[in-house]
Structures are given as structure tokens and as C-alpha cells.
Amino acid sequence: MFNRTSLQAAAALASISLLSGCSVFSDSESVADQRIVVGTTSSPSTLDPAAAWDNSWELFRNVFQTLVAFPTGSTTPQPDAADCAFKQGSSSRVYECRVHDGLTFSNGHKLDAEAVKYSIERIRTIDVEGGPNGMLGSLDRIDVTDPQTVVFRLNKPDATFPFILATPAMSLVDPAEYPADKLREDGKLIGSGPYVLDSYSEGDKAELSRNAGYKGFADRKNGGVTIRYFKESEPMVAALKAKEIDATYRGLTAEEVVDLQSDKPENQHLQLIESTGADIRYLVFNAKDPSVAEPAVRRAVAQLVNRDELVNKVYQGTAEPLYSMVPKGIAGHTTKFYDRFGAPDAAKAKRILREAGITEPVKLDFWYTTDRYGSATAPEFAELKRQLEASGLFEITLHGKPWKEFQAAYQKGQYPVFGRGWFPDFPDADNFIAPFVGKENVLGTPYVSPRITGELIPKSRRESDRAAVTDEFTEAQEIMVQDVRLLPLWQGKLYIAASEDIGGGERALDPQTVMQMWELSRRTSW
């Protein structure tokens, strides 16, 4: 996802503790009376889905519906507000959805096919820079054929279109509440999801209560949620240990993860669940820059980087080495970079450079953002510099810039080598390859690969059975290894820490690593 990367950790962590004074409930107390308090450093940038291609999705998933979604345990879109399918014989170009009968927004207004069309078309009309309209490139037009049926006609085959509709960016809004040609900016939010937003204080908290009129797949296991927003992780951790909050699902540093794993008295009530995350970090090489235009230079870097040392020294095991742009846990994942380069080897790297006629140490500038991916980013690049310079083959100069400056510069092609992170819009290999290739891509550095963009991706998008396109993505990754325009480094791990009386943490994160608040519960008896 282009903008959805403002984390302060190598891995997202959901940590759950007791709320002070609420540690035990009687059997007679109903689930609807139980309220969960969640802390996060990931506050929304907007309350309007038409503007959000970022961590605002966390809130949206819990108060809006989408046509299809990813219930816990699913990796393909399932019905949410509608039953949807590609029309037979349409070659993945006509996607029809029948909206479920009786759906309403929380204000009582009807949610029908016209509301669906309105919701998606206003995204295209408003067209916020860096917003979710960037995901709708294959959409030609939307037709409403009856009050409950909406048909999406695509300008080219795109079997990933259902995955796009499943993102919270495609949340369904009430036409009476949201202007057709501008963003809603009154600080309010009306949806049809599991919860209603009762109140919102920017940078402070959001109060959610059960939506009495909700009809959907979410089985709410609590009576409501308070989300507290923290600017830094340190006070959030203090609140967690002091039992002032029940959960934190985003923003802890690797050091804090390790601390929570320790056998300290204040951690005795916590349980920690680890799973594989889908967020990745990687280096980008701008081949138009003379310093990395020669493929041998890029390949030599790939031959030297020691991912094991990187994740152990900097991230203390809260991340794992990545040898493909498609991470572990996503169909199509490979280890192509390891297959090609093997273990780090200075002698092999030297031979790669010498065969290209490069005999002097290569001077490179590495750029990273100082305020986007957390405090570990600077040590990460210091470790990369150490590894490369230890070979005697490179001289690396590091540069750090705040995100806004960093983003503006790399999009103009000003950086030869820079670090980026990526969270998936949806759990499909396409979303880890397609955004980075082509003359225009999310990185601002053209990566022209006719075989990938002109043949492999179009072919894969004609196939609605996503398990059947592994060969296309395997070949695409082989090409990317040959080019070394992108060098995958690591993928994050997810952690759920829970007190003994909190349940549902193992089910709370969906395949997009978005928190499904309705899964969290407090056990009513022991």
C-alpha cells in the first residue's frame, strides 16, 4: 500500500492486558456489557474513506461495511454487504454484486445498489492525491441493474478486483451524509458496520458502541471499544502495564516486544502469540542514477547483505529474513534471492564487480526516512553500511530525511538507493509485484519489464482462481532477481499479547493486518 506504512516497529504488535478494576466478571454479566479499551500509535489521517489509503483503515473496518471482506481465517474475499462473483464468460471483466436485503446505515437510511455505486464513484470523483482511487485503474463503469444489484465493468481482465473491493478504502457510505464531490470534514462518521462511532477526538480517542442495526458476518464478542491514540509507544506501554488499557495493536518497538517477553513481574499476566506478518522492508535501486546503473553493482550488494545479522542485531528476532518481494504466508512466495545468491560472500561479490570491470570501491548514497518506520530504521541502515563496507568493495554514505521530504525526493528520482516499507492492500502476490513495476509505479522510479507488465501480470489477472497463477508470479520473481531493482530485506512478525482473562487475540488480525475489534472479549468466568 502506498501510504499505509506509519509504524514505529519492525513488527506490528497487539498486546492485551486487564483494564484496572475490571479483572473478573460474573457469569450473569452479558457480553454486551463488556467494554474493551485498545491503545495504538496508529491514528487515522482522515474519517472519510475516499481519502484513505493508510492506517485509517483500522477504524474503517470496524464501523463500515464493504461488499466483500476477509473474515478471520479467509485469504479470499467473502460476502460482507453482498454476494459477488465474476459473470461467467466475462474473462474477469464483469463483476456482479447483489446487495443483501434489509441493510441500513446506522442512521436508518437504506444501503442498496445505488448507495454502493455512489460510494465507489465518489472515490473516483474526488480523486485525492495518494488516495484509494489509485486502486481503481481497471474500473471502467458501474451499472445498477435493479435496486439490489450493482455491476462493475472493467476495462481489462482483473481477477484481483474483488480483493480491492474488500479493502476498507472501499467502505460503503450513505449518500445523504457524504458529499459526492468533496470530503466530509465534520469529524463524524456514518457506516453500516459492527460498531457506531459515538465520539471522536483527533489524536486522543474514539468511542465505539454496538450498531444495533448491523447485519453482517462479524460476531461481536464485546459490548463496545474505546480506542486510545498515543503519539509514542513508551506511554502506551506504561498504560498497558498499569492496566489502564486492555489492548495495544500497533506501534511497539522491537525492544518493547522483547521486554514484554521477559519474565518481569509486571508481565506475568500477559500471554504472547507470535505469527507471520505481511509487512516487508526492501531497498530500491534507481537504475537511472549512474552509481547503480550497472547491474553488477546491484548484484554485488545483493551478494553481500546478511539478512540474518540484520534482523538479529537490529530487530532482535521480531522480524525474519526475506528473499522475495512476496512474503512468506502469501501464495506465490519463493526464496529466489537466496537461490541465486546464497549466503553472503565477499569473494563472490568481488568477482561480480571485477567481471564488470569495476576495480575501485563503489561509492553509494543510501537514503532512509527518519520518521516513518520507527526508531530502528537508522540502526538498520547503519548495519547495512557496516556489512557492505566490511567487504572493502563499497563506501556508503547514509542520509536520513523526514517522510514528507523523503517521499517528494524519491518520487522525483533524486535518490540512487533508498529504503521503503510495504503493507499489503490485500493478501495476493499481485499486490507485492504489480505496484513496483512499470513506467509509473508507487516508487517513482520507472522499472520497465515488458515480460512482467505486458504478459505475466495481465495473464495472471485473467485467472479468478488465484492458486492457479503461481507459475506467473514465480517467473516474475526470477526476473526481479536478475534485475535487482528491488532487494527484499525482511518481513515483520505479528504478536498478540493477552492477559489471562482476554480472549480472541489470535483471531483479531485479518489478512490485511487490520484489527477486527469484535473478536476481542473478556472471559466472564475462570
Side-chain angles (χ1 to χ4, degrees), residues 470-485:
T470 301
D471 290 347
E472 286 79 9
F473 290 119
T474 297
E475 184 180 343
Q477 291 171 81
E478 290 173 349
I479 294 170
M480 296 173 90
V481 170
Q482 291 290 330
D483 296 340
V484 195
R485 293 290 307 278

Side-chain angles (χ1 to χ4, degrees), residues 297-311:
V297 172
R298 308 194 297 267
R299 291 169 185 160
V301 172
Q303 184 64 69
L304 290 170
V305 169
N306 190 322
R307 294 167 177 82
D308 287 316
E309 287 190 357
L310 182 67
V311 299

Side-chain angles (χ1 to χ4, degrees), residues 155-166:
N155 53 38
K156 55 187 175 183
D158 187 1
T160 70
F161 190 71
F163 291 80
I164 293 168
L165 290 181

Side-chain angles (χ1 to χ4, degrees), residues 12-30:
L13 179 91
S15 305
I16 301 160
S17 74
L18 299 175
L19 179 62
S20 181
C22 303
S23 60
V24 178
F25 284 81
S26 67
D27 286 332
S28 62
E29 190 162 17
S30 71

Side-chain angles (χ1 to χ4, degrees), residues 284-294 298 415-416 445-446 485:
V284 182
F285 295 93
N286 181 2
K288 286 191 174 182
D289 189 283
S291 65
V292 290
E294 170 56 59
R298 308 194 297 267
Y415 297 157
T445 55
R485 293 290 307 278

Side-chain angles (χ1 to χ4, degrees), residues 380-398:
E380 174 181 343
F381 274 76
E383 172 61 16
L384 290 171
K385 171 183 169 72
R386 185 199 67 78
Q387 291 181 11
L388 295 175
E389 291 187 340
S391 70
L393 302 174
F394 288 92
E395 294 178 6
I396 308 297
T397 302
L398 301 179

Side-chain angles (χ1 to χ4, degrees), residues 239-318:
L240 173 69
K241 292 188 174 184
K243 303 179 183 179
E244 296 171 357
I245 60 177
D246 289 311
T248 116
Y249 66 91
R250 186 82 71 200
L252 300 186
T253 65
E255 291 78 12
E256 288 162 344
V257 172
V258 172
D259 177 74
L260 286 169
Q261 291 173 323
S262 68
D263 195 26
K264 294 180 179 179
E266 62 265 35
N267 296 336
Q268 293 302 306
H269 64 290
L270 296 175
Q271 55 178 308
L272 198 65
I273 303 167
E274 178 184 301
S275 61
T276 300
D279 61 310
I280 68 172
R281 298 294 184 272
Y282 56 96
L283 291 179
V284 182
F285 295 93
N286 181 2
K288 286 191 174 182
D289 189 283
S291 65
V292 290
E294 170 56 59
V297 172
R298 308 194 297 267
R299 291 169 185 160
V301 172
Q303 184 64 69
L304 290 170
V305 169
N306 190 322
R307 294 167 177 82
D308 287 316
E309 287 190 357
L310 182 67
V311 299
N312 288 331
K313 288 184 178 180
V314 179
Y315 293 106
Q316 303 181 52
T318 61

